[in-house]
Amino acid sequence: MEDGAPHGDEHSYPQHWEADVLLRDGGTARIRPITEADADRLVEFYEQVSDQSKYFRFFAPYPRLSDKDVRRFTHHDYVNRVGLAVVVRDRFIATVRYDRIDPDGRPSVTGTDAEVAFLVQDAHQGRGVASALLEHIAAVAQERGIRRFQAEVLPENRKMVKVFTDAGYVQRRSFADGVVHLEFDLEPTDSALAVMRAREHRAEARSVQRLLTPRSVAVIGVSRQPQSVGRSLLRNLRGGGFAGELFAVNRNAEPGTPIDGVPSHRSVLEIPGPVDLAVIAVPAPAVPQAVAECGAHGVQGLVVVTAGYAETGPEGRDRQRALVRQARAAGMRVIGPNAFGLVNTDPERPLNASLSPALPGRGPFGLFCQSGAIGVALLETAHRRGLGISSFASVGNRADVSGNDWLQYWEDDPATEVVLLYLESFGNPRKFTRIARRLAASKPVVVVKGARHTGSLPPGHAVQPASSGLRDETVDALFQQAGVVRVETITELFDTGELLAFQPLPAGDRVAVVGNSDSLGLLTHDACLSAGLRPGTPVDLTTGATGENFRIALDTALADPAVDAVIAVTIPPIATHRPPTERGAQEPEFADALIEVAGRARELGKPLLLAHLALTDLPERLKAARIPAYPAPERAVHALAQAARYADWRRRTAEAEQTARVPELDRIAEDRARALVEAALQTRTAVAARTQPGGARIVLSDEQAAELLGHYGIDVHPALPAPDEESALRAAAALGYPVALKATAEHLRHRADLGSVRLDLTGEPGLRRAFRELDALLGGAARARLVVQRLAPRGVDTVIGATVDPAVGAILSFGLAGAPSQLLGDVAHRLVPATDQDVSALVREVRAAPLLFGWRGAEPVDTGALEELLLRVSRLVDDLPEVASVDLDPVVVAPRGLAVLAARVRIAPLPVRSDLGPRAMSTL
């Protein structure tokens, strides 16, 4: 269903129930409420249903609908009686209806049960239509207060029984009077969610497969000008070896006149046979007519290279949305608009529906980008480096088909071994994380993310409002948790991808460096250390080394159980007795040695790669043996470091599935915490805040924050207000010396550099003196909001936070307190809910982590208590999605225990989660 809540009278037409859906075979359809205006559509639909299907629906012969039936099935109150239809090309292909009933099965306006019944045209059975309808009618019913569906099905109607039983809901089943009676609760379960996501995966993968493997293609907009876009596309399709039927569409062409040897037609409608894919290259004003004709002819998919859409401004965005609505209503998916095209290198079904005349050969890489210019660069780079691709897509404004769809396809595609992405924005970050994590468990996903520092969106990219300001540290956390390998440049994209595709994953980070140059070996050694690898002392074979010397040394390194990967480094041999023209004669020897050793390296599961200088022919000799060769040591090392981190993620993820857990914690009072949050959101201040720009984030008072955290076993070190000197003395007496005096005003929080904190106050004289100093320095005690706090045990100051990013969910953060960590961005992040292994890694991930573990002889602090605190914060924001952020700063971690000295909690109304409802395509 479309995002948003119902507006106005609940009996009025609920437009937010409308949704585009993807069916099992990859086709699209529209689900919407049935209205009084649908009488003719309903009658036409019913006439196309077989007698058997009608019998299954009504349990008796029912050849036609009476006027009374038509009225009953088209008049709904959208509360107690609801009907939905699946629509393709403005025709019904399926319907579903529920009627609210009381416990005795009679019509009701207050009951929480409803009878539900489906009818699907025979021609569309088996496409997953009923399953999609069930998800949407269940969501509608829940919105209207219905908690359980009842259905009666004839035993021989096995397809319908299977729809219900496979849905994943908690069911009760009985058989009486020749009828199967089913009851199932509508509360979503993990099983139901898993079923929906599995269906989503199959449908999206199939929709991409249909685009890549058409049996017939029409290029619309093929002019007589040889250099026109349409003519280029037509030539590329022919030159790419497309073996199916190819048609050119030119409104001004004489029927049957060939263009570049391809038969031409004035309209798709004049083409005598079916058309699976249409490539549209007409001016933007002519696109709607072309799309309409494609829909009428039954075209399955569109590649729209035409520009002039959302990248041009608001009017163009409206045209883009209308384009997608028009295509989906006719059952078609869209690549683009403003697309560069798509490519399939399968020799059985080759397709070059792109603007690139030259393509890489067949190979293991799936390429995706959102930019035509980057698409050209990707294809050119792959071609120049001799790296083959399985498929390619450059989707332009990605108004419909997105990177998530391609990830779904590549997961199942045996020809794709490594996925390479250039991303500029995320349409649905939550979904990307979920799919990428599942895919990365079996195939590497390597990404370059544009606009890392600016955060800007390219013109034309439609995203969820929450995704438009996605912070780069959030993107990093998303990639890290999903196992996505993030690189900085296109060069690194292919460097890393080549190693991951052609070499085994390293078992660890221990590296042997073997070569014929001491200097190059040392450069490689230093690069390994900088990249977080553990290199051994480089083995220098000297510049006079032969191929046999290399083979022996490499064999020795590979046989060493303390080595996980080997980097061979080489320069041209220096042989003064040879003329310069012969000094490259030993390159074949080096190549033969590497090729011979490469087989043993693979058997041992150890990657072997080459870093070389000034040996232009050697990389080419190694391609057949799939040995990556890099013209600089740092490039080889960076690729290996990325592979080592990815391999470590794979191992940890596999282990975590067996051992990681979210521990049960004591002192959790979720009900009390929820009641506190709900009460705070109902205050006058909170209600007023909802009208302010940016939404309604309400800051809890210090007392409320401490109480909320206390319900999750998080104790905030007590502090008492000190608006005047005598209040400060009374507070100290109540808390007990020694104490600290500090400012808590917003502009002074955590600003010890401004002198707003006095520590180690052991008695009344010192406290009086400190109070007078801060009172004078900070413009008055009241303005500074001075408080007295009992002194915490000595330890390491840390910062713990949790922030809800509407695009990806809650993110848990950890770092050490202080300006250096802030300036260097030394903060680690994890998505919530965090496991015990997540928080253990989080604590150790920051660069300043050695301070927690006894650096320079200091006593190690209580990291066990720190990890438990992180788990408690994770549990809080996971249980209470209204909690928008939690900041604990500082948290002093002592050798035994810890103290939370200050806490700030912000809350907001429950955010809408579009990823937990029924399957629906994006409406951005």
Side-chain angles (χ1 to χ4, degrees):
M1 297 192 305
E2 294 184 350
D3 293 345
H7 302 284
D9 181 8
E10 63 181 4
H11 293 281
S12 61
Y13 181 80
Q15 188 169 357
H16 67 287
W17 291 352
E18 295 184 358
D20 293 324
V21 296
L22 201 55
L23 302 178
R24 182 181 301 156
D25 62 358
T28 63
R30 183 79 168 167
I31 292 179
R32 65 167 176 83
I34 298 173
T35 70
E36 299 172 15
D38 289 321
D40 291 342
R41 291 186 185 86
L42 182 67
V43 171
E44 180 189 29
F45 157 74
Y46 195 76
E47 289 174 350
Q48 302 299 316
V49 176
S50 70
D51 290 341
Q52 183 185 52
S53 293
K54 292 173 183 175
Y55 183 84
F56 285 160
R57 169 65 175 86
F58 294 104
F59 297 3
Y62 217 92
R64 64 185 58 84
L65 296 175
S66 67
D67 292 343
K68 184 177 180 181
D69 292 328
V70 172
R71 177 176 176 80
R72 181 162 64 94
F73 292 139
T74 57
H75 286 64
H76 304 99
D77 63 7
Y78 303 122
V79 178
N80 305 309
R81 301 182 312 281
V82 173
L84 301 180
V86 181
V87 186
V88 176
R89 300 186 183 94
D90 203 34
R91 290 185 170 89
F92 286 4
I93 64 169
T95 62
V96 65
R97 173 186 171 94
Y98 82 65
D99 293 271
R100 192 189 300 264
I101 58 176
D102 64 16
D104 296 323
R106 294 174 299 198
S108 170
V109 295
T110 59
T112 58
D113 282 23
E115 287 183 339
V116 64
F118 295 77
L119 186 59
V120 180
Q121 277 184 356
D122 297 66
H124 296 278
Q125 292 177 12
R127 300 183 65 199
V129 176
S131 299
L133 266 181
L134 177 57
E135 293 174 20
H136 283 261
I137 196 69
V140 166
Q142 280 196 293
E143 182 182 315
R144 295 314 196 203
I146 290 171
R147 298 291 171 258
R148 183 170 58 182
F149 271 164
Q150 299 184 25
E152 292 190 340
V153 185
L154 292 174
E156 56 266 40
N157 190 0
R158 290 186 293 274
K159 290 182 181 179
M160 200 68 244
V161 173
K162 184 173 175 59
V163 168
F164 289 122
T165 56
D166 288 353
Y169 296 106
V170 176
Q171 299 183 8
R172 289 164 292 281
R173 186 171 177 175
S174 60
F175 181 80
D177 300 325
V179 174
V180 178
H181 183 80
L182 297 167
E183 295 182 1
F184 50 96
D185 299 330
L186 300 184
E187 185 67 28
T189 64
D190 290 342
S191 176
L193 187 60
V195 168
M196 281 191 281
R197 288 177 173 171
R199 289 171 176 164
E200 172 191 72
H201 167 69
R202 289 192 297 269
E204 291 177 355
R206 176 60 181 147
S207 74
V208 172
Q209 184 184 39
R210 291 207 316 181
L211 291 166
L212 282 172
T213 57
R215 292 161 298 180
S216 53
V217 178
V219 181
I220 303 174
V222 180
S223 79
R224 294 291 180 184
Q225 299 298 321
Q227 302 307 315
S228 68
V229 171
R231 286 286 288 278
S232 297
L233 289 163
L234 188 65
R235 283 195 299 271
N236 294 345
L237 278 160
R238 292 191 68 202
F242 180 67
E245 292 187 282
L246 190 57
F247 305 99
V249 176
N250 180 333
R251 295 212 174 273
N252 299 315
E254 290 294 328
T257 303
I259 302 177
D260 287 340
V262 175
S264 65
H265 303 269
R266 287 178 295 188
S267 166
V268 170
L269 296 174
E270 294 180 2
I271 296 174
V275 175
D276 293 335
L277 179 70
V279 185
I280 298 179
V282 299
V287 170
Q289 181 180 353
V291 174
E293 292 174 356
C294 288
H297 195 66
V299 174
Q300 295 181 351
L302 306 175
V303 177
V304 182
V305 301
T306 305
Y309 286 88
E311 76 277 8
T312 65
E315 291 184 3
R317 186 174 299 282
D318 290 341
R319 287 195 297 273
Q320 183 167 297
R321 288 171 174 159
L323 164 65
V324 173
R325 284 196 300 269
Q326 184 185 15
R328 288 177 178 173
M332 300 180 291
R333 297 217 70 183
V334 179
I335 298 281
N338 195 24
F340 186 74
L342 74 162
V343 173
N344 183 6
T345 64
D346 183 352
E348 300 296 323
R349 307 290 287 274
L351 177 75
N352 181 11
S354 81
L355 292 168
S356 178
L359 297 176
R362 182 70 165 169
F365 297 102
L367 300 184
F368 174 88
C369 67
Q370 299 166 335
S371 159
I374 297 297
V376 173
L378 290 175
L379 292 174
E380 166 60 25
T381 302
H383 180 69
R384 176 171 44 81
R385 295 179 63 152
L387 300 176
I389 64 173
S390 60
S391 49
F392 162 85
S394 179
V395 298
N397 295 0
R398 60 148 181 74
D400 179 26
V401 177
S402 72
N404 289 340
D405 297 293
W406 285 87
L407 293 180
Q408 301 273 37
Y409 168 74
W410 281 322
E411 182 179 0
D412 295 336
D413 179 31
T416 302
E417 298 173 18
V418 176
V419 172
L420 306 181
L421 309 176
Y422 173 80
L423 301 179
E424 294 173 329
S425 62
F426 293 94
N428 188 335
R430 288 181 191 265
K431 184 174 179 180
F432 173 87
T433 305
R434 170 168 49 85
I435 299 172
R437 181 180 176 88
R438 191 181 66 232
L439 174 59
S442 58
K443 299 180 182 183
V445 179
V446 190
V447 175
V448 175
K449 172 66 171 64
R452 176 164 198 161
H453 299 292
T454 65
S456 59
L457 289 175
H461 282 221
V463 301
Q464 297 174 352
S467 305
S468 59
L470 208 59
R471 298 181 302 172
D472 194 62
E473 56 264 35
T474 301
V475 174
D476 265 338
L478 181 155
F479 285 160
Q480 183 179 41
Q481 205 132 343
V484 171
V485 179
R486 183 174 190 173
V487 296
E488 299 296 324
T489 66
I490 298 298
T491 299
E492 290 182 19
L493 184 74
F494 283 100
D495 282 351
T496 305
E498 185 176 3
L499 180 60
L500 290 169
F502 298 148
Q503 292 292 309
L505 292 175
D509 56 4
R510 301 167 300 176
V511 182
V513 180
V514 177
N516 65 351
S517 167
D518 181 50
S519 298
L520 192 57
L522 290 174
L523 286 174
T524 305
H525 181 275
D526 290 345
C528 286
L529 292 173
S530 298
L533 300 173
R534 292 188 292 162
T537 302
V539 177
D540 179 23
L541 303 176
T542 76
T543 56
T546 65
E548 180 64 12
N549 298 144
F550 260 97
R551 185 192 62 75
I552 294 171
L554 292 172
D555 267 337
T556 302
L558 288 167
D560 187 346
V563 170
D564 301 310
V566 176
I567 301 178
V569 298
T570 182
I571 62 171
I574 299 175
T576 56
H577 62 281
R578 292 183 178 181
T581 55
E582 296 181 12
R583 291 179 188 173
Q586 285 180 280
E587 284 190 35
E589 292 184 33
F590 294 162
D592 291 344
L594 286 164
I595 291 170
E596 182 179 346
V597 170
R600 287 192 288 277
R602 287 193 179 86
E603 291 174 3
L604 294 168
K606 297 182 179 183
L608 171 66
L609 54 160
L610 172 70
H612 67 93
L613 294 180
L615 291 172
T616 56
D617 294 336
L618 185 57
E620 190 64 31
R621 297 177 189 275
L622 299 178
K623 284 191 185 301
R626 295 162 66 105
I627 301 172
Y630 303 96
E634 60 274 11
R635 285 176 55 181
V637 168
H638 288 165
L640 180 59
Q642 294 284 16
R645 284 190 284 271
Y646 171 66
D648 180 61
W649 178 86
R650 287 262 294 254
R651 287 190 295 270
R652 286 188 290 105
T653 301
E655 179 185 344
E657 290 180 355
Q658 305 297 324
T659 62
R661 60 192 182 91
V662 178
E664 289 295 326
L665 300 168
D666 59 359
R667 300 172 60 204
I668 301 292
E670 181 181 341
D671 291 343
R672 293 182 181 180
R674 190 177 303 281
L676 187 156
V677 170
E678 290 175 353
L681 286 171
Q682 298 305 316
T683 63
R684 183 176 300 177
T685 301
V687 172
R690 298 183 190 186
T691 65
Q692 301 301 312
R697 288 202 168 192
I698 303 102
V699 180
L700 296 184
S701 68
D702 291 346
E703 294 75 19
Q704 288 175 312
E707 182 181 354
L708 176 64
L709 293 167
H711 291 321
Y712 275 79
I714 302 170
D715 298 320
V716 180
H717 217 52
L720 298 176
D724 53 58
E725 190 172 319
E726 296 305 316
S727 297
L729 295 174
R730 289 194 295 272
L735 294 172
Y737 289 97
V739 297
L741 181 69
K742 64 182 183 180
T744 62
E746 187 63 35
H747 66 290
L748 295 172
R749 277 179 180 259
H750 317 308
R751 292 300 307 274
D753 57 310
L754 299 179
S756 59
V757 180
R758 295 292 185 271
L759 302 174
D760 294 319
L761 304 175
T762 58
E764 181 177 324
L767 179 56
R768 286 186 182 275
R769 183 167 58 253
F771 185 91
R772 292 167 185 170
E773 289 174 357
L774 292 185
D775 185 59
L777 177 67
L778 304 176
R783 182 172 181 269
R785 291 184 57 198
L786 295 181
V787 299
V788 174
Q789 191 169 45
R790 181 170 175 79
L791 202 66
R794 296 288 185 184
V796 178
D797 288 0
T798 65
V799 179
I800 291 175
T803 303
V804 175
D805 188 308
V808 300
I811 298 172
L812 186 66
S813 304
F814 170 76
L816 269 62
S821 291
Q822 294 175 7
L823 288 171
L824 296 174
D826 190 18
V827 180
H829 307 274
R830 286 294 185 279
L831 300 181
V832 168
T835 67
D836 53 352
Q837 294 184 13
D838 287 330
V839 297
S840 177
L842 196 64
V843 167
R844 291 157 178 79
E845 194 170 296
V846 295
R847 292 192 293 271
L851 293 172
L852 302 170
F853 296 95
W855 189 62
R856 288 187 173 178
E859 188 176 1
V861 300
D862 191 348
T863 53
L866 180 60
E867 291 171 14
E868 181 181 324
L869 177 58
L870 285 162
L871 286 169
R872 290 183 182 276
V873 173
S874 171
R875 170 76 181 272
L876 187 154
V877 295
D878 192 42
D879 284 350
L880 306 174
E882 299 91 346
V883 175
S885 68
V886 175
D887 294 297
L888 308 182
D889 183 6
V891 177
V892 181
V893 190
R896 282 164 293 282
L898 54 75
V900 179
L901 299 190
R904 175 67 63 91
V905 178
R906 294 176 176 85
I907 60 174
L910 185 66
V912 175
R913 285 287 302 274
S914 60
D915 59 319
L916 296 180
R919 287 173 291 151
M921 302 173 74
S922 170
T923 56
L924 297 174

